[in-house]
Amino acid sequence: MDLNERKKLILQAIIEEYIREAEPVGSKYISENYGFGLSSATIRNEMAELEELGFLLHPHTSAGRIPSQSGFRLYVDNLHETYRLSLLEMQKMQELMKTRMEELETFLSKASRVMSAMTNYTAITTTPTVAAAEMLRFDILPVSGNSFLITMVMRGGIVRTKMCYTSAPISETVLRQLSGLLNDKMCNRPLHSVNLKEINDIYRQLGDYGALLSPVLNYINECAEDMTPINIIVEGADNIFDYPEFSSRGKARELFGLLQDKEEVKKLVMPALSEEGIKIQIGSENQNFKMSDSSIVLGNYKIGNKVVGAIGIIGPVRMDYGKAISHIEYLTKAISDIFGGDSE
Amino acid sequence: MDLNERKKLILQAIIEEYIREAEPVGSKYISENYGFGLSSATIRNEMAELEELGFLLHPHTSAGRIPSQSGFRLYVDNLHETYRLSLLEMQKMQELMKTRMEELETFLSKASRVMSAMTNYTAITTTPTVAAAEMLRFDILPVSGNSFLITMVMRGGIVRTKMCYTSAPISETVLRQLSGLLNDKMCNRPLHSVNLKEINDIYRQLGDYGALLSPVLNYINECAEDMTPINIIVEGADNIFDYPEFSSRGKARELFGLLQDKEEVKKLVMPALSEEGIKIQIGSENQNFKMSDSSIVLGNYKIGNKVVGAIGIIGPVRMDYGKAISHIEYLTKAISDIFGGDSE
DNA sequence: GTTAGCACTCGACAGGTGAGAGTGCTAACG
DNA sequence: CGTTAGCACTCTCACCTGTCGAGTGCTAAC
């Protein structure tokens, strides 16, 4: 891996050219446009060595070179100066931020749209895992004799409701008792910290009604154990039509199918939730074979010091990583700032 | 429009063949496979006349004929014996119905998926307009000093929540008063029947707090006037990759873009909400030019005797209308049956 | 170590050809 | 008069071909 400075520069030039044009890059072009004071023949020699090292590929004899996945990986790892948001981009982002931010979920959906429109890639965001978010209030609303609505309000304005049905009517007094217990015991802390023992305690305190109300407690328990993001927002999936690498019917369809399937997309973004910082998976570095011609840049945001949601950008392997990274960085920081503290 | 019986049969044969194969149909093929006891020459004569009448098209001299949009229209209008669901389809549908039906919205999303998988077309469903659904309960839940959550529960298990923020703290007593008023005045009837006068009455009764609570009443008023479906579920959009008519890049992209845009899709299904029964728009009968190569079959479902939601199937002009119609009929009937009455 | 020169390779593209499918027309048939 | 067989005609599609240009690899000279 003893790349001298010149090789690095040439590789970088080829990659950046390829990102822009999506076509094999020739030695002459590099020599003329990036002019390191070298002739095309010299560039050719260097390119041949870079190919031997595995950073470039050669579709056929008389085509230019294209970067290999390891080439991209090297490039990304050395990507010190990340792209800066242009003034226009800044303005658009700020405009987005100005909208009322009461609800994280609507904000995220808007943010995805803006991000996909500005990068021309596909944007993915996830709303926080219910388990991780801090619970603010529980509420139980009787709807009819044996049906009622559970509402959970979490920090960041996240709300979840669920209709519950019991086999026999339940009085409002009992429901009030239940709601009181839940608010006492489970508020101001993340739901995942609730353990079975506490839930059993509540059962016991409800006495005869415990069994009848088991659907409620089951639901809460489910939520507490749920570490997967609840909702996945995918925007700009149709942008893949613009990438020449997906011009073939099958390829486009494959990726499209993947993006339509929330379960699959979940798996795609899960790595982002495990630790802080930006993660990049290039081509087949991703386990999902459908992603072998695509890359994903992942970031995450925090609420109350804990990573709870992911933001990602999917594009072709030759995507503009700098641009993607800077957009994600900007957005994750903004979300963590705005929603991270008290939501009022 | 004096089509004799024979012409009708031939036209029908051509259309059904075209639906199956998506390729121009020749006279010889019809004569051999549908054998009305006529030679290809006779069929040719009839086809020439059908073309003169505008029901068939001729891509070029030596191709077979394809049905024109008016041809399809005639066919659809005469489609007496609608396709019957096969045993397998019935079973799948019933399996779907067996799932717990507490929430209309999750049910609809599942139903779309099943429908798109079974027809190989794109399925669209809308959740009911909030305005039309009958209100069962209001609730107001204080979250912090000057923020609280409004919850509306409607027949069919539809729930809407909204976080509200006020400029100054509001006591729980006032909130309880407001919630009491709302429940007294607005329940057990559709929200769209609420008029401004009633809302103003409530303002007055709240006295000094009226102004402070205006966000709440504004929101309710917005909902009451909202006749557009709140949520649009699109499933199986990637099926369009299977239709040869969208093999061209641009066409596919166009339709895809349309399906991604909720606002546009809303416009597409709106006609279904205006009156009962199945509606079919063939190709450019639809105002949206992006639909000129596609058809849409629309149905609607009722809750409490009122049309509140739409179900549609989008496919190429040569889609299997019988199949689409029968699926939509089955589903709309099922939904109206299950959710139409009291939701407990 | 760098460069110019040159032969070589390969894909893209345009033009040409033949097969196949389907039609339109005409004349003959019952 | 409706129906049919026959045939010339048309058009697409797949295939082949030759040419062009881009880009390389190699060699020899600087």
Side-chain angles (χ1 to χ4, degrees):
Chain A
M1 195 69 68
D2 50 345
L3 283 187
N4 60 33
E5 205 51 37
R6 197 171 73 180
K7 279 203 182 56
K8 276 192 193 162
L9 279 174
I10 292 176
L11 181 58
Q12 189 178 339
I14 292 172
I15 291 183
E16 280 170 10
E17 199 51 39
Y18 185 65
I19 285 176
R20 231 196 324 281
E21 300 295 338
E23 266 168 28
V25 184
S27 54
K28 194 169 156 219
Y29 188 93
I30 294 291
S31 137
E32 280 173 5
N33 293 273
Y34 286 76
F36 304 110
L38 295 175
S39 80
S40 65
T42 311
I43 306 275
R44 266 205 296 288
N45 288 334
E46 293 286 38
M47 279 163 108
E49 287 177 46
L50 280 168
E51 186 173 348
E52 226 166 288
L53 290 168
F55 297 119
L56 291 179
L57 291 177
H58 216 174
H60 55 86
T61 334
S62 75
R65 253 80 170 201
I66 61 174
S68 70
Q69 289 196 5
S70 5
F72 273 111
R73 169 52 62 194
L74 189 73
Y75 170 75
V76 165
D77 290 341
N78 286 319
L79 197 64
H80 298 302
E81 50 178 82
T82 59
Y83 171 98
R84 294 261 203 87
L85 293 185
S86 75
L87 198 63
L88 181 70
E89 287 169 328
M90 282 290 217
Q91 277 171 354
K92 283 211 183 174
M93 285 289 211
Q94 269 157 13
E95 203 165 305
L96 166 70
M97 303 293 165
K98 258 191 291 187
T99 61
R100 298 187 64 197
M101 322 257 204
E102 4 203 89
E103 280 130 44
L104 177 59
E105 291 178 305
T106 61
F107 177 84
L108 283 173
S109 133
K110 247 188 238 169
S112 311
R113 212 164 311 151
V114 172
M115 205 162 61
S116 88
M118 271 163 50
T119 59
N120 277 315
Y121 299 124
T122 304
I124 297 179
T125 52
T126 72
T127 59
T129 65
V130 167
E134 190 174 325
M135 194 60 53
L136 291 180
R137 283 298 287 262
F138 275 96
D139 189 40
I140 294 185
L141 172 67
V143 172
S144 72
N146 54 359
S147 72
F148 51 88
L149 185 79
I150 314 177
T151 306
M152 304 192 291
V153 184
M154 280 153 279
R155 191 177 297 284
I158 305 156
V159 177
R160 288 279 173 275
T161 61
K162 180 164 176 76
M163 286 292 284
C164 275
Y165 299 80
T166 51
S167 46
I170 290 207
S171 75
E172 296 208 8
T173 331
V174 178
L175 289 179
R176 240 194 312 274
Q177 187 192 351
L178 173 58
S179 129
L181 281 168
L182 291 174
N183 276 309
D184 283 353
K185 311 231 165 190
M186 299 194 181
C187 280
N188 300 316
R189 59 174 177 142
L191 200 52
H192 68 78
S193 69
V194 174
N195 58 38
L196 254 177
K197 186 177 163 302
E198 292 178 89
I199 291 194
N200 282 332
D201 277 353
I202 295 185
Y203 266 118
R204 219 170 311 117
Q205 293 189 47
L206 287 171
D208 294 345
Y209 296 102
L212 214 49
L213 287 170
S214 63
V216 184
L217 296 167
N218 282 344
Y219 176 63
I220 291 171
N221 196 33
E222 259 170 43
C223 289
E225 283 172 359
D226 180 20
M227 272 308 292
T228 58
I230 287 301
N231 202 3
I232 304 256
I233 301 162
V234 177
E235 282 285 346
D238 50 322
N239 279 329
I240 69 168
F241 283 107
D242 287 338
Y243 320 147
E245 31 271 275
F246 295 110
S247 63
S248 110
R249 212 84 177 306
K251 291 272 173 203
R253 168 162 212 172
E254 208 170 74
L255 186 55
F256 232 105
L258 176 64
L259 293 174
Q260 297 282 101
D261 185 337
K262 300 239 160 179
E263 286 307 315
E264 296 263 32
V265 177
K266 253 186 211 180
K267 278 186 216 146
L268 237 44
V269 298
M270 286 307 279
L273 297 176
S274 56
E275 58 190 276
E276 284 183 49
I278 301 265
K279 263 208 177 65
I280 300 182
Q281 292 181 326
I282 298 170
S284 52
E285 288 175 13
N286 198 299
Q287 298 90 325
N288 193 318
F289 78 97
K290 290 181 185 166
M291 287 286 291
S292 53
D293 290 317
S294 313
S295 289
I296 184 166
V297 179
L298 290 168
N300 54 41
Y301 59 88
K302 299 194 277 185
I303 292 186
N305 250 338
K306 204 170 151 34
V307 169
V308 291
I311 296 185
I313 291 184
I314 291 184
V317 169
R318 54 153 200 104
M319 75 194 283
D320 187 336
Y321 293 94
K323 193 174 183 182
I325 292 171
S326 58
H327 274 86
I328 289 188
E329 275 179 348
Y330 186 91
L331 209 64
T332 51
K333 187 169 172 331
I335 293 175
S336 297
D337 286 355
I338 300 169
F339 295 100
D342 244 44
S343 75
E344 184 57 11
Chain B
M1 196 67 68
D2 48 346
L3 284 186
N4 60 33
E5 206 50 37
R6 197 171 73 179
K7 279 204 181 55
K8 277 192 193 164
L9 279 174
I10 292 175
L11 180 57
Q12 189 179 336
I14 293 172
I15 291 183
E16 283 171 8
E17 199 50 38
Y18 185 66
I19 285 176
R20 231 196 323 280
E21 299 295 337
E23 267 167 28
V25 183
S27 54
K28 195 168 156 221
Y29 188 93
I30 295 291
S31 137
E32 280 174 5
N33 293 273
Y34 286 76
F36 305 110
L38 296 175
S39 81
S40 65
T42 311
I43 306 277
R44 268 205 295 289
N45 289 334
E46 293 286 39
M47 279 163 108
E49 287 178 46
L50 280 167
E51 184 173 351
E52 227 166 287
L53 290 168
F55 297 118
L56 291 179
L57 291 177
H58 216 173
H60 56 85
T61 333
S62 75
R65 253 82 170 201
I66 60 173
S68 70
Q69 289 196 5
S70 4
F72 274 110
R73 169 51 63 193
L74 190 72
Y75 170 75
V76 166
D77 290 342
N78 286 319
L79 198 63
H80 298 303
E81 50 178 84
T82 60
Y83 171 98
R84 293 262 201 87
L85 294 185
S86 74
L87 198 62
L88 181 70
E89 286 169 327
M90 282 290 216
Q91 276 170 355
K92 282 209 183 175
M93 285 289 211
Q94 270 158 14
E95 203 165 305
L96 166 71
M97 303 294 165
K98 257 191 290 189
T99 62
R100 298 186 64 196
M101 325 258 201
E102 2 204 271
E103 280 129 44
L104 178 58
E105 291 178 305
T106 59
F107 177 85
L108 283 173
S109 133
K110 246 187 240 168
S112 311
R113 211 163 314 149
V114 171
M115 205 162 61
S116 89
M118 272 164 46
T119 60
N120 277 315
Y121 299 124
T122 303
I124 296 179
T125 52
T126 72
T127 59
T129 66
V130 168
E134 190 174 326
M135 194 59 53
L136 291 181
R137 282 297 288 264
F138 276 96
D139 188 39
I140 295 186
L141 171 67
V143 172
S144 72
N146 54 0
S147 72
F148 50 89
L149 185 79
I150 315 177
T151 307
M152 305 192 290
V153 184
M154 280 153 278
R155 190 177 298 284
I158 305 155
V159 177
R160 287 279 173 275
T161 61
K162 181 166 175 74
M163 286 293 285
C164 274
Y165 298 81
T166 52
S167 46
I170 290 206
S171 74
E172 296 210 8
T173 331
V174 177
L175 289 178
R176 239 194 312 275
Q177 187 191 352
L178 174 58
S179 131
L181 280 168
L182 291 174
N183 275 310
D184 282 353
K185 310 231 167 189
M186 299 194 180
C187 280
N188 300 316
R189 61 175 176 139
L191 199 54
H192 68 79
S193 69
V194 174
N195 58 38
L196 253 177
K197 186 176 163 301
E198 293 178 271
I199 291 194
N200 282 331
D201 276 354
I202 295 184
Y203 267 119
R204 221 170 310 117
Q205 293 190 47
L206 288 170
D208 293 346
Y209 297 102
L212 215 49
L213 287 170
S214 63
V216 185
L217 296 167
N218 283 343
Y219 176 63
I220 291 170
N221 196 33
E222 259 170 42
C223 289
E225 283 172 359
D226 180 21
M227 273 308 291
T228 58
I230 287 302
N231 201 4
I232 304 257
I233 302 162
V234 178
E235 283 285 346
D238 50 321
N239 280 329
I240 69 169
F241 282 108
D242 287 339
Y243 319 148
E245 32 271 276
F246 294 111
S247 63
S248 110
R249 211 84 178 306
K251 291 272 174 203
R253 177 176 197 157
E254 208 171 76
L255 186 55
F256 232 105
L258 176 65
L259 293 174
Q260 298 281 100
D261 185 337
K262 301 238 161 182
E263 286 306 314
E264 296 264 32
V265 176
K266 252 186 211 180
K267 279 186 215 146
L268 237 44
V269 299
M270 285 307 279
L273 296 176
S274 58
E275 58 189 277
E276 284 183 49
I278 301 266
K279 263 206 177 65
I280 301 182
Q281 291 181 327
I282 298 170
S284 54
E285 287 175 13
N286 198 299
Q287 299 90 324
N288 192 319
F289 78 97
K290 288 180 185 165
M291 287 286 292
S292 53
D293 290 317
S294 312
S295 288
I296 184 167
V297 179
L298 290 167
N300 54 41
Y301 59 86
K302 299 194 276 185
I303 292 186
N305 250 338
K306 206 171 148 33
V307 170
V308 291
I311 296 184
I313 292 183
I314 291 184
V317 169
R318 55 152 198 104
M319 75 194 282
D320 186 335
Y321 293 95
K323 192 174 183 182
I325 292 171
S326 58
H327 275 86
I328 290 188
E329 274 179 348
Y330 187 91
L331 208 64
T332 51
K333 186 168 173 330
I335 294 175
S336 298
D337 286 355
I338 300 169
F339 296 99
D342 244 45
S343 76
E344 185 57 9

